[in-house]
Amino acid sequence: MKFLKPSIRSLRPIFKTTRFSFSFSSSSQKKPDLHDAGPMASLLKTRSVVRFRGPDTIKFLQGLLTNDVVRRFGAPAGDDGKKSSLVSPNVPASSARPMYAALLTAQGRFLYDLFLYEPPRTDERLDPTGSGPGPGNGEVVVLADVDCSVLDELVEMLKKYRLRSKVDIENVGEEFSCWQRFGVDLHKRAPSSLEDSEAASVGWGGTIDPTGSSSSQGSSGGWQWHKDPRLDCLGFRGIFPANVTLNVHYLEVAAPMVEADTETQEENYLLWRLEKGVAEGSIEIPKGEAIPLEYNLAGLNAISFDKGCYVGQELIARSHHRGVIRKRLLPLKFLNESGKEVEQKVAPSSEVIASKSGKKAGTVTTALGSRGLGVIRLEEAFKGPENLVIKGQEDVKVEPIRPDWWPTEWFLEHESHQAAG
């Protein structure tokens, strides 16, 4: 079946489906317990892939995106998390850690989010000493995991910014697919080989036994899972080649190696993110409207405050140095008057008001079942239970949840601002 967009999804998700099974649970089934969920893997049909290729790729992206692309992908080999992409009999190919970044309007409003990856170079050879990668062909390639609902307009905008830069920008969504692995404490249980350099032992990956490689390595061609660059609790993410077979009824997508019976629907990954308070894509983070700091992009490692200029930097820098963000994106729980969770009662764009004053406190941005996300004024968010309700549905209570990953200073900034007021 075709996945619905986050703004209009209305079916209850399930956990643990068989491979490529997209049936949803009925209302009589037990609601999944997120606290025991996982590990799971989802093919992200709401995401696609853009390829940047050419000698000016890094410079081009550095001038556009909110994060420091040069520091991650332009550093010399071995610096700042850079890894060899060498393929040898005893170590799989690897590359620099992925990066999360955003493209903004000139006024500093959110447009698109991108996960940037350096693909493995399967044709690399050892250097003369046999202790590291030898010189390659010098081609610079970066893959970007992007929201497929805005893919065409994103590519068109990037090409307008390109001017005379020597960089090719291609939609390669039919060649690659995006995947997410997630579950309770998955990032703690996953093998260290996902992120740690294998070559730090004897010789070039001398102690690695390829026969012992688990499914968490990704695929046999050097394509690997990486820790999600936003938060450890989101699990692992990766781009993998897709073997696409044109057929009247379906596209056959080659999955990365995952544990048996752990593939599940993308809606379950959405529910996982809602629990963590993390929005993704240009629907959940409204294109042309959202202020990146209110959607916590700084806390999700999407913004560098040390790099040079980029499109929309002025508003971001001014808001950051001012030090007060009065509204933030929060995970929400929808309850009835007796305190029980209510399903399918709230739609995106619903207004959240303070029950006593009737004043607007925020807006629901995403809703799925009894959970959602909303941009809420912090002074109203944590006043106590039953403080917030849905406008026009006053019998539906809104309970904001404090995400565990939030930096302490976010609460301190709010408290000091309240005291000053």
Side-chain angles (χ1 to χ4, degrees):
M1 63 171 286
K2 182 178 180 181
F3 281 115
L4 301 176
K5 293 297 177 187
S7 61
I8 57 174
R9 287 172 178 156
S10 59
L11 298 177
R12 175 183 294 180
I14 61 171
F15 287 97
K16 288 285 185 180
T17 67
T18 56
R19 182 169 295 274
F20 293 109
S21 172
F22 300 120
S23 59
F24 286 83
S25 61
S26 66
S27 58
S28 63
Q29 287 180 293
K30 184 180 179 181
K31 184 178 178 179
D33 186 356
L34 288 176
H35 301 290
D36 297 325
M40 293 165 286
S42 292
L43 169 65
L44 305 181
K45 290 192 173 183
T46 58
R47 307 293 292 188
S48 190
V49 180
V50 173
R51 179 168 58 205
F52 301 90
R53 180 164 53 185
D56 291 342
T57 292
I58 303 302
K59 180 181 178 181
F60 172 73
L61 293 173
Q62 180 76 354
L64 287 180
L65 304 183
T66 55
N67 219 331
D68 196 337
V69 182
V70 169
R71 179 173 295 181
R72 179 59 52 84
F73 297 101
D79 292 348
D80 193 29
K82 189 79 172 179
K83 297 182 180 181
S84 167
S85 53
L86 176 73
V87 179
S88 68
N90 56 355
V91 64
S94 61
S95 57
R97 295 192 306 270
M99 169 179 284
Y100 187 51
L103 177 60
L104 311 180
T105 68
Q107 293 75 35
R109 304 285 176 162
F110 176 90
L111 282 176
Y112 314 105
D113 63 350
L114 304 90
F115 295 82
L116 302 180
Y117 296 81
E118 181 184 66
R121 298 171 187 165
T122 56
D123 58 345
E124 247 186 359
R125 299 177 180 273
L126 286 171
D127 64 14
T129 67
S131 61
N137 59 16
E139 183 179 48
V140 179
V141 180
V142 173
L143 297 178
D145 162 350
V146 303
D147 185 342
C148 69
S149 70
V150 292
L151 174 61
D152 292 338
E153 63 182 76
L154 170 59
V155 171
E156 183 179 355
M157 174 174 287
L158 290 168
K159 289 182 177 179
K160 288 180 180 178
Y161 276 118
R162 178 174 54 184
L163 300 177
R164 296 183 180 180
S165 297
K166 296 178 180 178
V167 53
D168 293 328
I169 304 168
E170 305 169 86
N171 171 5
V172 291
E174 291 189 355
E175 299 178 31
F176 297 94
S177 56
C178 304
W179 288 77
Q180 186 87 21
R181 294 182 74 224
F182 59 100
V184 175
D185 293 335
L186 177 63
H187 62 286
K188 297 179 182 178
R189 300 197 303 265
S192 61
S193 59
L194 283 164
E195 285 292 313
D196 298 335
S197 176
E198 305 290 7
S201 53
V202 180
W204 192 256
T207 62
I208 308 304
D209 177 9
T211 61
S213 296
S214 74
S215 62
S216 61
Q217 290 289 349
S219 74
S220 59
W223 298 85
Q224 295 203 345
W225 294 102
H226 297 269
K227 281 187 178 180
D228 193 300
R230 297 166 295 178
L231 299 169
D232 283 353
C233 62
L234 292 177
F236 294 84
R237 199 174 182 103
I239 288 178
F240 297 90
N243 294 338
V244 181
T245 302
L246 296 180
N247 189 289
V248 176
H249 301 293
Y250 66 93
L251 291 178
E252 180 182 328
V253 180
M257 292 185 290
V258 296
E259 292 85 348
D261 299 324
T262 62
E263 189 172 329
T264 187
Q265 304 167 62
E266 187 176 1
E267 273 78 359
N268 290 326
Y269 166 58
L270 170 61
L271 188 59
W272 184 259
R273 284 193 292 103
L274 297 186
E275 283 280 305
K276 309 302 179 186
V278 177
E280 182 176 299
S282 298
I283 295 178
E284 295 178 20
I285 312 176
K287 181 169 66 74
E289 301 175 10
I291 297 175
L293 297 185
E294 291 184 351
Y295 280 75
N296 306 325
L297 291 190
L300 297 175
N301 300 312
I303 300 174
S304 170
F305 296 103
D306 300 322
K307 65 173 286 187
C309 296
Y310 58 87
V311 177
Q313 181 192 29
E314 184 177 352
L315 174 67
I316 301 300
R318 184 169 64 247
S319 300
H320 173 68
H321 293 299
R322 186 185 299 147
V324 177
I325 307 299
R326 294 181 175 84
K327 297 185 293 182
R328 287 193 181 273
L329 187 75
L330 284 162
L332 305 176
K333 187 185 296 184
F334 306 122
L335 310 170
N336 61 20
E337 293 181 339
S338 61
K340 294 183 179 180
E341 295 184 16
V342 294
E343 301 277 344
Q344 321 305 338
K345 291 287 187 179
V346 180
S349 301
S350 297
E351 188 172 316
V352 179
I353 61 174
S355 57
K356 294 182 179 179
S357 66
K359 292 182 178 179
K360 181 177 180 179
T363 304
V364 176
T365 60
T366 307
L368 180 64
S370 63
R371 303 303 173 99
L373 296 173
V375 178
I376 308 295
R377 296 185 65 86
L378 294 179
E379 63 182 356
E380 296 288 349
F382 304 115
K383 279 189 174 180
E386 301 187 1
N387 177 54
L388 301 178
V389 297
I390 299 296
K391 184 177 181 180
Q393 297 176 272
E394 280 71 15
D395 59 327
V396 178
K397 311 297 181 182
V398 179
E399 180 183 323
I401 302 169
R402 291 178 182 242
D404 294 336
W405 61 268
W406 270 28
T408 305
E409 56 265 27
W410 286 3
F411 296 105
L412 296 178
E413 289 172 359
H414 167 60
E415 291 169 359
S416 62
H417 175 66
Q418 278 189 316

